[in-house]
Amino acid sequence: MRDHEPAPAQQASRRLSTKETAELLGVKPETVYAYVSRGQLTSRRGQGRRGSTFDATEVEALAHRNRRESAPSSGPDELSVRTRITLIDGDRYFFRGVDAAQLAARHSYEEVAEWLWTGTLRPGARFTAPQESLSAARRAIGALPEHSSPVDRLRVAAVAAATVDPLRYDLSEESVLGAARSLIPTLAAALPLQRTTYMDGQPIAQRLWGRLSYKEPDEASLRVLDMALALLADHDLAASTLAVRVAASARAHAYAAVSAGLGVLEGPLHGAASGLAHRMLLDVLDRGSAGPVVADELRAGRRVPGLGHRLYKAEDPRAQALFTALEELPAARGALAAARDVVATTARHTDLHANVDLALAVFTTSHGMAAEAGETIFAVARTTGWIAHALEEYGERPLRMRPTGHYVGVRPPQPLPSSPHQE
């Protein structure tokens, strides 16, 4: 609050500079002119001063409106965030208004990433990892213990890549997108090799394959991996994406925002869920039937992995798209049959459908990949969505992701605690 608030008559005629307007609205200066182009603000050339000026009353009204629209609207215990990136409606999901499953079926992961970031399709888009970024990431990952998880390695790679980017604190769209186009291939290419297939300029799916499987990839399998990356690129405000937006709200740079997402992703209820489904499918294939495997899961008090999704009543559309693509792969027939056996077995008593974790597990088990491979695919894929949400959040009022705590502890004043050794 300012020490000297102008009187209403004075404030009505007061003009603000572009910088003052941006600070009051909590946005970048270029966003101020976006408000002008949309008719939400009126600018005027200042007399005796460079640049445009803006009416203080009009700016205050817009700031108040933005705060009101950004406030939670789903009840006191839910956070609502306006976004133009992903819509989940019924049993379908859309990237900037376009059916995401259809987009992933027709376009590469890189093209889908560009669509999510800019709303423009760039046919044949390719991402390049600068040698300096790759070298830093590989050195840092090489210092980790051998048993480190894939997400551990990806987090370290993201931090290492940030240290060699002097422009990381530039939060302009151009700079953030430049960082994203180098970070994603760095993440894909910095992981330890299973087989030597990597060459700079290759699609992300091809670079990633050599980190996931020792088997020679065929064109159809690479296309399924590319499709999986595109399908998983974003999914509204999942837990990891919310963490990214909180970091971006505090104006953390893109690498730090992605690191926040990777930290949340490692939980068993998020990115690691496909690993549980992978192990279950291997067990079904080994025992020849889903019945005893499902029984063991339920007896242990666990949910059957790969089934159900809180946002979809029917089958997860990402699973539908992947299952359709996997049917074209001869190597996937056994794992597909095992997955269908799991779904059919549980359908006797519950109305749960397959989710994307089960479909991803079919792919990873079919190609001799480790159980953690699905988590790696998920993390690299979702980096695209995290960057899209970070960019969107950079255009909002800073630190708006600041809920108020509801204190339920003992009421003050309380006496100072005493040491247990005092008499």
Side-chain angles (χ1 to χ4, degrees), residues 104-105 107 109 205-206 209 212 217-232 318-319 321-330 332 336 359-364 366-367 369 377:
H107 295 279
Y109 168 63
Q206 194 162 350
W209 183 280
L212 300 174
D218 57 75
E219 187 175 340
S221 296
L222 280 173
R223 177 59 193 136
V224 173
L225 175 56
D226 185 69
M227 184 187 219
L229 290 166
L231 288 167
L232 292 166
R318 300 168 298 176
L322 271 182
F323 281 139
T324 300
L326 286 162
E327 287 171 357
E328 304 300 319
L329 302 183
L336 267 173
L360 202 55
V362 170
F363 176 75
T364 57
S366 300
H367 293 90
M369 298 177 182
I377 295 168

Side-chain angles (χ1 to χ4, degrees), residues 13 26 95 109 115 158 206 214 234 236 278 299 343 352:
S13 61
F95 290 161
Y109 168 63
W115 175 255
Q206 194 162 350
Y214 62 88
D234 192 54
D236 194 35
H278 177 107
R299 181 181 297 172
V343 173
L352 292 177

Side-chain angles (χ1 to χ4, degrees), residues 70-82 236-237 242-243 245-246 393 400-403:
S70 298
S73 58
S74 303
D77 296 324
E78 293 190 27
L79 177 66
S80 176
V81 177
R82 295 186 306 151
D236 194 35
L237 284 180
L242 180 59
R245 292 199 75 130
V246 171
E393 192 60 39
R400 71 190 184 114
M401 299 287 190
R402 173 62 169 89

